[in-house]
Amino acid sequence: MGRLTARLAAACAVAVLLLTAAAPGSPVLGFTGFGASSADATYGQSMTFRVGLAGGAPDRLELLLRFTGSDATLVVPVQAGGDAAEYVWDAADRYVTPNTRISYRWRATTGHTVRLSPEGTLLYDDDRPGLDWQSAVIGRATVHWYGGAEGVARRFGDLTADGAARAEALLGHEMAGPVDIFVYEARDDFFGALGPGAREWFGAATFPELRTIFMWLGGGSSDYLETTIVHEVTHVVFSDATDNPLHSPAKWLNEGLATWAETQSADLQRAVVQAEADDRGLFSFEAISYDFPFGTRGATLSYAMGTTMVDMLIGEHGPEAIARLAEAYRNGASDAEALEAAAGEPADALYAAYYDAFGADEPQPVEAAPILPSNVRKPGDGPSGPDGPGATPAPAPGPGAENDGMPAWIFVAIVVVVAVAAGGGWLLMRRSQEPPA
């Protein structure tokens, strides 16, 4: 067989293989499905997600993550190679609250075909060294402790049941599910769980979307801690009772109701508000609807104003006012609409009556300061700026105007010379490429 014949035979063999591979019903090389998937985490360091890829990597691979308390899905592109893929979440850089459950699944796209893996769940728990967690279920609370805090933790469980029952009666709504309570002995352990958003005066913190309460035993006396656990579980019931897809209720109302629930009164907070009203004045309720000011005064006065407003609502309109307020929120009411549903009068009238009760002027909106003329020096300005003495206006464009300091006629002449030179060069190049006569 000659060389030409051999090459032709080899080419035919390759063509047959290609046609066979492309024929309908023939097996196609490449990604064919997901293998086993897994996930693990080390608190404060990382979360790692892994999956097997049967047949090799798809054209596009993504990891879909959903975090407890959020309706959003985070889509993470993942580079895949070979028969497996891995994605590592840097938990040291991207804080996630402990006791968060993450639902995950993989999505592969090959051509026009999209495949989803079965869904998995990862519990991101606080597994730092030295935290040898023990747990007990008490009523609708699961308490977690380490070290020698078992007695206090169990007491918190009992108080949670009582506090939740009182909050349910006041709000006219049952708690939607059980709660987890984590009891920390050391300050660093507690603030290490709360992450970078914690303020220095925190002694406890609640994440209603996670149904989780964090308590620090060093946050205060035993009496303080016992009233605080009632405060925190009231937050959970309040969140359940006012849940709606539009917005969260005013923070002063949330914190005020939880503080009032501690002792079912506002005697201590009333003295704080009166002293501030007599001294520096009070805040606007709109100003403390989203968050509280930094500093001890800002937080203390905000809590006190919220508590005394709740006390006024209950005292003048009965405990049923709080249930009416919660129902209005569940139906999508704004803060003003919910307050009107509770009191039967516009929110503005309620606010005015509140300030009048303390003999305080009602805070007024602060007018925005006017934007001053710019003091940035520009080319052509004098030594004192654009509006100062000696300022020289830039020349208006027109015939004879200069361009970057160059007279206009020189600029035009340069352009003409360059154009002529380029045209001559092109003619010479054409001639050099013509065949000789």
Side-chain angles (χ1 to χ4, degrees):
M1 181 183 294
R3 292 184 180 179
L4 180 59
T5 305
R7 290 177 181 177
L8 182 59
C12 290
V14 172
V16 169
L17 289 175
L18 291 175
L19 289 172
T20 302
S26 300
V28 179
L29 298 178
F31 177 76
T32 58
F34 289 105
S37 64
S38 63
D40 57 65
T42 300
Y43 180 76
Q45 297 182 25
S46 63
M47 293 186 287
T48 304
F49 303 85
R50 304 178 183 86
V51 68
L53 305 173
D59 296 341
R60 184 168 71 249
L61 181 65
E62 297 160 319
L63 177 63
L64 312 182
L65 301 174
R66 294 191 66 176
F67 294 78
T68 304
S70 174
D71 295 329
T73 298
L74 178 63
V75 180
V76 183
V78 179
Q79 291 292 334
D83 58 358
E86 178 180 281
Y87 174 74
V88 178
W89 177 289
D90 185 354
D93 181 60
R94 305 167 71 186
Y95 168 77
V96 175
T97 306
N99 210 39
T100 295
R101 282 176 170 78
I102 301 106
S103 298
Y104 66 93
R105 65 194 316 176
W106 297 85
R107 181 167 66 191
T109 304
T110 301
H112 297 291
T113 302
V114 178
R115 290 184 175 90
L116 287 171
S117 73
E119 188 173 74
T121 302
L122 171 66
L123 174 62
Y124 182 67
D125 57 350
D126 189 352
D127 60 354
R128 285 174 289 175
L131 303 185
D132 184 18
W133 293 106
Q134 308 295 315
S135 301
V137 177
I138 302 175
R140 287 181 291 174
T142 300
V143 291
H144 310 264
W145 72 89
Y146 61 92
E150 179 177 358
V152 178
R154 291 184 177 276
R155 174 63 175 159
F156 287 162
D158 294 334
L159 292 170
T160 296
D162 295 339
R166 292 202 300 268
E168 288 172 333
L170 183 63
L171 288 157
H173 194 275
E174 292 187 1
M175 189 166 66
V179 296
D180 284 292
I181 303 170
F182 290 84
V183 182
Y184 288 88
E185 290 189 331
R187 183 183 188 279
D188 289 346
D189 293 341
F190 173 73
F191 280 96
L194 299 191
R199 297 190 181 179
E200 67 280 358
W201 43 267
F202 280 10
T206 299
F207 295 82
E209 69 280 4
L210 303 179
R211 316 198 67 77
T212 300
I213 299 170
F214 299 102
M215 298 289 295
W216 172 35
L217 295 185
S221 65
S222 58
D223 290 341
Y224 166 82
L225 294 174
E226 291 191 355
T227 57
T228 296
I229 192 64
V230 174
H231 178 113
E232 301 303 332
V233 75
T234 301
H235 279 313
V236 177
V237 182
F238 181 82
S239 176
D240 292 340
T242 60
D243 183 49
N244 68 87
L246 301 177
H247 74 114
S248 298
K251 183 169 183 176
W252 66 260
L253 177 60
N254 192 346
E255 294 294 352
L257 182 66
T259 305
W260 185 90
E262 295 175 11
T263 59
Q264 301 186 55
S265 73
D267 293 340
L268 294 176
Q269 290 77 19
R270 189 174 293 106
V272 171
V273 175
Q274 190 62 67
E276 289 288 348
D278 296 340
D279 183 16
R280 300 170 61 179
L282 304 180
F283 297 145
S284 162
F285 280 96
E286 288 86 348
I288 54 176
S289 290
Y290 178 72
D291 208 347
F292 294 166
F294 287 103
T296 302
R297 175 182 181 266
T300 301
L301 180 55
S302 298
Y303 275 91
M305 287 183 63
T307 308
T308 49
M309 175 62 93
V310 168
D311 191 65
M312 188 178 82
L313 276 171
I314 295 174
E316 295 185 2
H317 304 282
E320 300 82 8
I322 304 302
R324 291 194 297 269
L325 180 145
E327 183 180 13
Y329 274 120
R330 289 198 302 275
N331 292 332
S334 65
D335 293 332
E337 292 168 340
L339 288 171
E340 183 171 356
E345 59 180 322
D348 288 343
L350 196 65
Y351 294 149
Y354 178 90
Y355 293 112
D356 185 63
F358 289 98
D361 294 331
E362 188 169 355
Q364 299 300 314
V366 177
E367 293 187 6
I371 299 177
L372 299 176
S374 172
N375 61 357
V376 178
R377 296 184 62 183
K378 301 184 293 294
D381 291 341
S384 300
D387 299 317
T392 303
E402 294 183 346
N403 184 356
D404 294 332
M406 179 186 296
W409 69 269
I410 296 179
F411 180 79
V412 172
I414 292 174
V415 171
V416 171
V417 171
V418 171
V420 171
W426 180 79
L427 289 174
L428 289 174
M429 182 181 66
R430 287 293 305 272
R431 288 184 178 180
S432 65
Q433 294 176 346
E434 292 177 357

